[in-house]
C-alpha cells in the first residue's frame, strides 16, 4: 500500500518550508529524502506513530495575483491538493488573518478533504492566541512553532488519524505504473495489455483525475495497472520536465511496485524521457523501458544493438535497465511486457544470505583493494542486506569518509555480476563500525 500524501499549503512567508524541514529532519524518522527531478526540494517520506506518509511542501498561494510566477505556483499547489489525502494549512500566528488566508481556507473547504489547521510562530502558547483562527471555518487550530519544534507532534497526531486502512486485496496485486510522454503510445499499450483474454475486475478512479487503476488477472497472477495521462512538456521550450505533470506522475510512481516507461522508438530517448527514468530510479523502483512503435522502424540485423548502445550511453546512471521492443498497435512482442515487469520486480525482491554476501565482499576486497587516502585505507568489516525493493546492502567500515564513489560503484558491479539485479536499482550504504565491532573483519 502506498504512503498517504500530505500537502502543506498556505500563503507566502508563513513558515511552510521551516515546518516541512522539521517534519523531514528531526521530529520523525525519515525513510528516504526525495530530491525529485525539478529545481525544488519538495518531498520527504516519514513515519509518525508507526504510520508512513509522504509530505510535500508547496509554494505560497496568492489566489488573486495575476503575476505569471504566482499563477504557476498556484497550479503546483492545486495538483498537490488534488493528490493529497490530508492537507495541512499553515497560517502565521504573529499576524492578523489576511484576505489571502480566508481565500485559501475557502478553497480548501471546497476540496472536500481533511484539513488540519496549524498556526505557526506561536512561541508562548495561550488559548487566547488561537481564538481568531476559528473564523477560517476549518475546526480546531493547532498552535505550532516550527522554529522551536513545538506543537508539531499534535499536528501529526491529527494528520495520521485521517489515514485510511489499506485494502488487503490491493496489496496482493502487482501494481504497475505506465508513465511516459502522451505521444509515446502509452494508452495503446494499456489497451493492448487489457485486451488479452483475462478477468477484468472493474475500473476504479485513481487518486488524481489523470489516473485510472484497473485490476485484472492473467494466468493466476493479480495485477493493478495504473494508467496516467502522460508527462508533458510546457508549451514553451523549457529545460525541465513540466513540473506540474511530474507531480501527477509522482503519485502513480510512488504507488507502483514496478514502472513501465514507454518511449517512442521513432523519436528515440529524449531528454524528457531521461528525466522521467531518473525520477523512477531515485524512487528505487524496478522498471522496464518499453520501446514502442518498433513496427515503424527500418531494421537490419544490428538495429536493436544500436538502440541498446544508445540507451546505455544515455542511461549510464541506470545501466541495470531492462528493455523490450514492441508495437502496442500491432501487438508485436506486447505479451513480453508483463513477464519482464515481473522479472524486474522479482529481482528487486532478491535477498542474499549474509554468509554468501560476506564471502563475496571478501573476494571483491582481496581482488581490488580500496585506494588509500592520506595514508589511510578503507576497511570493510562486515556486510548485510537489511531490506529489498530496492535491495539495500549495508557495509560496516572503519571510516565512511574513505568510501570513494568509484569503489562503491565497483562493489555494486560485483553484486550485479554475481546475482541478477537487472531492472532494479540497488543501494549500498556505509556505516562506521561500533566500538565493539559488527561481525568479523572481512
Amino acid at each position: 500500500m502506498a504512503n498517504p500524501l500530505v500537502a502543506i499549503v498556505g500563503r507566502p512567508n508563513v513558515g511552510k518550508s521551516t515546518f516541512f524541514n522539521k517534519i523531514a529532519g528531526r521530529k520523525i524518522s525519515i525513510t528516504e529524502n526525495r530530491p525529485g527531478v525539478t529545481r525544488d526540494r519538495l518531498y520527504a517520506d516519514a513515519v509518525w506513530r508507526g504510520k508512513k506518509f509522504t509530505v510535500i511542501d508547496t509554494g505560497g498561494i496568492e489566489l488573486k495575483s495575476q503575476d505569471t510566477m504566482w499563477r504557476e505556483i498556484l497550479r503546483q499547489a492545486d495538483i498537490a491538493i488534488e493528490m493529497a489525502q490530508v492537507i495541512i494549512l499553515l497560517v502565521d500566528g504573529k499576524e492578523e488573518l489576511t484576505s489571502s488566508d480566508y481565500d485559501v481556507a475557502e478553497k480548501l473547504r471546497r476540496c472536500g478533504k481533511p484539513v488540519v489547521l496549524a498556526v505557526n510562530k506561536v512561541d508562548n502558547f495561550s488559548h487566547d492566541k488561537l481564538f481568531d483562527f476559528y473564523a477560517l471555518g476549518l475546526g480546531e487550530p493547532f498552535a505550532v512553532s516550527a522554529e522551536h519544534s513545538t506543537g508539531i507532534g499534535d499536528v501529526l497526531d491529527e494528520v495520521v488519524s485521517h489515514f485510511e486502512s489499506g485494502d488487503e486485496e490491493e496489496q496482493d496485486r502487482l501494481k504497475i505504473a505506465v508513465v511516459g510522454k502522451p505521444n509515446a503510445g502509452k494508452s495503446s499499450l494499456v489497451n493492448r495489455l487489457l485486451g488479452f483474454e483475462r478477468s477484468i475486475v472493474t475500473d476504479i478512479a485513481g487518486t488524481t483525475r489523470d489516473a485510472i487503476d484497473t485490476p485484472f488477472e492473467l494466468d493466476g497472477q493479480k495485477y493493478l495497472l495504473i494508467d496516467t495521462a502522460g508527462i508533458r512538456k510546457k508549451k514553451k521550450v523549457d529545460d525541465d520536465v513540466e513540473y506540474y505533470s511530474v507531480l501527477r506522475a509522482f503519485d502513480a510512481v510512488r504507488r507502483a511496485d514496478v514502472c513501465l516507461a514507454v518511449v517512442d522508438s521513432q523519436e528515440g530517448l529524449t531528454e524528457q524521457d531521461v528525466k522521467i527514468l531518473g525520477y523512477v530510479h531515485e524512487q528505487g523502483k524496478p522498471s522496464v523501458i518499453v520501446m514502442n512503435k518498433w513496427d515503424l522502424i527500418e531494421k537490419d540485423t544490428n538495429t536493436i544493438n544500436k538502440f541498446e548502445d544508445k540507451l546505455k550511453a544515455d542511461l549510464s546512471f541506470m545501466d541495470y535497465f531492462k528493455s523490450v521492443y514492441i508495437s502496442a498497435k500491432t501487438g508485436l512482442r506486447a505479451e513480453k511486457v508483463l513477464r519482464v515487469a515481473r522479472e524486474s520486480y522479482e529481482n528487486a525482491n532478491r535477498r542474499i544470505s549474509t554468509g554468501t554476501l560476506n564471502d563475496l565482499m571478501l573476494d571483491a576486497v582481496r581482488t581490488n583493494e580500496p585506494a588509500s587516502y592520506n595514508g589511510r585505507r578503507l576497511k570493510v568489516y562486515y556486510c548485510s542486506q537489511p531490506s529489498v525493493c530496492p535491495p539495500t546492502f549495508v557495509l560496516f567500515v572503519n571510516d565512511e569518509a574513505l568510501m570513494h564513489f568509484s569503489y562503491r560503484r565497483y562493489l555494486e558491479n560485483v553484486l550485479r555480476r554475481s546475482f541478477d539485479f537487472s531492472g532494479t536499482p540497488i543501494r549500498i550504504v556505509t556505516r562506521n563500525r561500533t566500538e565493539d565491532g559488527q561481525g568479523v573483519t572481512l
Side-chain angles (χ1 to χ4, degrees), residues 283-330:
Q283 309 315 310
K285 300 292 184 178
S287 60
V288 179
I289 300 174
V290 181
M291 300 297 293
N292 192 27
K293 305 183 184 180
W294 192 242
D295 57 314
L296 303 179
I297 300 296
E298 294 185 10
K299 308 174 190 66
D300 56 36
T301 55
N302 293 318
T303 303
I304 284 186
N305 291 334
K306 292 177 181 177
F307 271 75
E308 285 289 289
D309 290 342
K310 183 68 164 61
L311 289 177
K312 290 176 182 177
D314 292 340
L315 299 174
S316 57
F317 63 92
M318 56 175 297
D319 55 5
Y320 56 81
F321 69 83
K322 293 175 78 73
S323 59
V324 57
Y325 293 77
I326 74 160
S327 170
K329 182 178 181 180
T330 68

Side-chain angles (χ1 to χ4, degrees), residues 215-425:
F216 66 94
E217 296 182 18
L218 177 65
D219 299 330
Q221 172 70 54
K222 295 181 179 180
Y223 298 92
L224 182 73
L225 199 61
I226 306 171
D227 182 20
T228 62
I231 301 176
R232 303 171 178 84
K233 283 187 176 180
K234 295 179 181 179
K235 292 181 180 179
K236 296 182 178 180
V237 176
D238 196 305
D239 290 336
D240 291 326
V241 178
E242 182 186 10
Y243 176 67
Y244 313 104
S245 294
V246 169
L247 278 179
R248 298 183 191 278
F250 166 78
D251 182 62
V253 170
R254 74 186 183 89
R255 290 193 293 135
D257 297 317
V258 60
C259 297
L260 302 180
V262 183
V263 178
D264 186 337
S265 296
Q266 288 185 297
E267 188 176 355
L269 198 70
T270 66
E271 182 180 358
Q272 188 181 7
D273 292 317
V274 172
K275 289 180 177 180
I276 295 170
L277 284 163
Y279 183 72
V280 172
H281 169 78
E282 288 176 358
Q283 309 315 310
K285 300 292 184 178
S287 60
V288 179
I289 300 174
V290 181
M291 300 297 293
N292 192 27
K293 305 183 184 180
W294 192 242
D295 57 314
L296 303 179
I297 300 296
E298 294 185 10
K299 308 174 190 66
D300 56 36
T301 55
N302 293 318
T303 303
I304 284 186
N305 291 334
K306 292 177 181 177
F307 271 75
E308 285 289 289
D309 290 342
K310 183 68 164 61
L311 289 177
K312 290 176 182 177
D314 292 340
L315 299 174
S316 57
F317 63 92
M318 56 175 297
D319 55 5
Y320 56 81
F321 69 83
K322 293 175 78 73
S323 59
V324 57
Y325 293 77
I326 74 160
S327 170
K329 182 178 181 180
T330 68
L332 175 69
R333 286 193 288 273
E335 75 284 352
K336 291 183 61 177
V337 173
L338 291 179
R339 175 172 58 81
V340 178
R342 287 197 307 271
E343 291 173 356
S344 294
Y345 182 65
E346 289 167 1
N347 291 341
N349 279 277
R350 192 176 306 283
R351 190 178 290 275
I352 312 302
S353 69
T354 301
T356 301
L357 193 55
N358 280 280
D359 288 343
L360 180 64
M361 290 294 103
L362 173 61
D363 290 340
V365 173
R366 284 176 174 172
T367 301
N368 181 16
E369 288 192 351
S372 62
Y373 296 94
N374 297 323
R376 301 188 66 210
R377 190 184 303 274
L378 177 76
K379 293 181 180 180
V380 181
Y381 297 112
Y382 185 72
C383 184
S384 65
Q385 184 187 357
S387 62
V388 295
C389 289
T392 301
F393 303 92
V394 177
L395 298 177
F396 295 96
V397 300
N398 58 329
D399 187 349
E400 297 177 47
L402 296 176
M403 173 64 83
H404 193 268
F405 75 87
S406 61
Y407 200 73
R408 189 190 304 270
R409 183 69 169 173
Y410 161 70
L411 294 178
E412 178 179 339
N413 290 336
V414 168
L415 286 165
R416 290 191 180 279
R417 286 196 300 268
S418 302
F419 306 100
D420 187 0
F421 288 114
S422 58
T424 179

Side-chain angles (χ1 to χ4, degrees), residues 167 169-170 173 201-208 211-215 224-227 255:
D167 184 344
E169 182 181 355
E170 181 180 335
R173 297 181 180 276
V201 180
T202 184
D203 284 344
I204 303 172
T207 56
T208 75
I212 296 294
D213 291 3
T214 307
L224 182 73
L225 199 61
I226 306 171
D227 182 20
R255 290 193 293 135

Side-chain angles (χ1 to χ4, degrees), residues 48-67:
W48 181 254
R49 297 193 181 278
K51 295 184 178 181
K52 297 180 180 180
F53 62 96
T54 299
V55 61
I56 175 173
D57 186 18
T58 64
I61 299 177
E62 287 285 4
L63 294 178
K64 296 179 179 178
S65 175
Q66 297 302 311
D67 182 86

